[in-house]
Amino acid sequence: MPEHFSIRGAKGRTLSGKIAVCGAKNAALKGVAASILFRTPLTLTNVPEIEDVSRMLEILRTMGAQITFGEHQATIDARGLSETTLTPDIAKRLRASIVLTGPILARHGFVRFPHPGGCVIGERPIDLFIEGYKKMGAQVKQSGKFYDIRAQRGGLRGAELFFRLQSVTGTETFMMAAVLAKGRTVIKNAAMEPEIKWLADLLNASGAHISGAGTPTITIEGGDPLDAQGKSFRVIPDRIEAGSFLILGALAAKRLLIDEMVPEHIESLIEILSATGVKIVRGERSLSVSAPKRWQTLRSVSVRTHEYPGLATDLQAPLTVFMTQALGESLVFETIFEGRLSYIESLNRMGANIAMMDPHRVLVKGPTPLSGKQLESPDLRAGLAFVIAAVTAEGTSVIHNIYNIDRGYERIEERLRAIGVDIVRAN
Ligand code: EPU
């Protein structure tokens, strides 16, 4: 029997205590992929023990890498990795596996992969990847379901790449490919997420020559395979987890301390919540938040998702839950993905008043009391948003399909129980 979460509403400002944020999924996954560029084993610490990380490690293991993983530390020795095909099975298991194509192509001169399958949050095309590889001198052939990308004799060549759209995995993939390419690569309109800067720092500390990561222009001078020089690399805190806890606290905590995080990474969320009337106290590596005594004092604001440092699309669903409890109308505009509002119907069943304007925009009218319901987690971010909605609601909610939540959040029910959430995992 698949597991589910059963959550009883918190009945006001009842949560309290401290919750520590885990390492970032979307940094750890790229760190694992980076190991392919190394001529030494690579050790990562503060690695979240979540399904997506296990799957990424398993993919590398099946492709020939030696791996140890436990107590939030992963050591990946990819020297023996010889496989150059990502099977549909692999690509389906984890969309982030697309980032493997860069390091594999750079190291072996060839990679074969299927078009990543459809995804619940939108189309997620790969045109930027195909165009980028061509610019680096590779030949792209499509045969059946697969793309065959072959570098020129002598390997990938540095190139000038301008991304029409700022793509997170695109930026990371080409930054890694360029590390082993011949000559200079410049990525313009690069994504600027903190995970990208972290990845560049890790690569630079191991012998890569990358400048500008964290800005829209990244320059990479190609060179030799990397050497970790016995160092280990600590994964940065998960800003999406931190932001989701902040929203939870703003709705249901007497006082909640969110610890081991980087406030600067969720500055845009802090500004938005502050504008609604939430009181947030900033520490150096923590935030403390309380729900207002009466929810009705929260004021709606309209928001739009944006590339970093704007509001992360991964925080859109939790923030929409928040807006159901604020007074007034909030227009939520999802600008990054077109399929990321499918959870709205479930919130309306819980009592929210949300009108779908078009595939990218919803109008939330609040405040509306929510009541516990049976829910299906559509993706990991909306899954955690349902957990927040269930805590806010009157009565009990049951959330199914929690594999989706486990993909991105470590032992979430244990950690939430410790701050007072009435949540159990059951079959
Ligand atoms: N895009 C294209 N062509 C491409 C690549 C992207 O049109 O070749 C479009 C996308 O369809 C989207 C936009 O560009 O409209 C930006 O997408 P991006 O490539 O930045 O998304 P991603 O790299 O596939 C990562 C995270 C997502 C996060 C987004 C946006 C990973 C593994 N995934 O996805 O995280 O939502 O950036 O910040 O890093 C999650 O963790 O739950 C998650 C979905």
Side-chain angles (χ1 to χ4, degrees), residues 42-44 57 61 65-70 73-77:
L42 172 64
T43 297
L44 305 173
L57 290 171
R61 193 178 280 128
Q66 305 269 333
I67 288 162
T68 59
F69 182 39
Q73 176 164 321
T75 298
I76 309 126
D77 181 350

Side-chain angles (χ1 to χ4, degrees), residues 249-390:
L251 288 173
K254 199 157 172 219
R255 185 170 174 276
L256 180 66
L257 185 76
I258 300 141
D259 202 12
E260 293 174 41
M261 48 101 47
V262 184
E264 198 191 317
H265 289 173
I266 51 168
E267 203 122 43
S268 107
L269 178 68
I270 295 172
E271 283 301 316
I272 290 167
L273 291 178
S274 301
T276 69
V278 174
K279 296 274 173 285
I280 299 168
V281 181
R282 252 171 112 142
E284 207 161 295
R285 304 268 303 164
S286 65
L287 290 172
S288 138
V289 64
S290 311
K293 293 216 170 76
R294 293 184 331 122
W295 282 345
Q296 286 76 1
T297 59
L298 292 172
R299 296 176 301 275
S300 291
V301 293
S302 290
V303 296
R304 58 163 66 198
T305 61
H306 195 282
E307 293 84 359
Y308 188 84
L311 173 68
T313 166
D314 292 342
L315 286 170
Q316 179 258 109
L319 195 55
T320 302
V321 171
F322 175 87
M323 291 303 172
T324 67
Q325 303 309 312
L327 177 68
E329 290 186 351
S330 167
L331 185 72
V332 178
F333 187 0
E334 168 55 62
T335 68
I336 311 286
F337 293 112
E338 71 280 6
R340 224 172 189 186
L341 292 163
S342 64
Y343 67 91
I344 293 293
E345 199 199 317
S346 303
L347 289 187
N348 280 342
R349 272 200 298 114
M350 294 179 84
N353 180 355
I354 307 176
M356 197 90 188
M357 315 298 284
D358 60 47
H360 284 275
R361 294 179 308 156
V362 292
L363 188 67
V364 187
K365 289 188 189 166
T368 48
L370 302 180
S371 58
K373 285 281 174 309
Q374 298 271 335
L375 304 161
E376 283 283 331
S377 166
D379 69 78
L380 69 156
R381 307 304 180 189
L384 194 61
F386 284 164
V387 171
I388 298 171

Side-chain angles (χ1 to χ4, degrees), residues 25-26 30 124-128 167-169 314 336 381:
K25 167 178 87 77
N26 287 344
K30 321 308 166 50
R124 304 180 94 182
I126 58 161
D127 50 327
L128 297 177
S167 165
V168 173
T169 46
D314 292 342
I336 311 286
R381 307 304 180 189

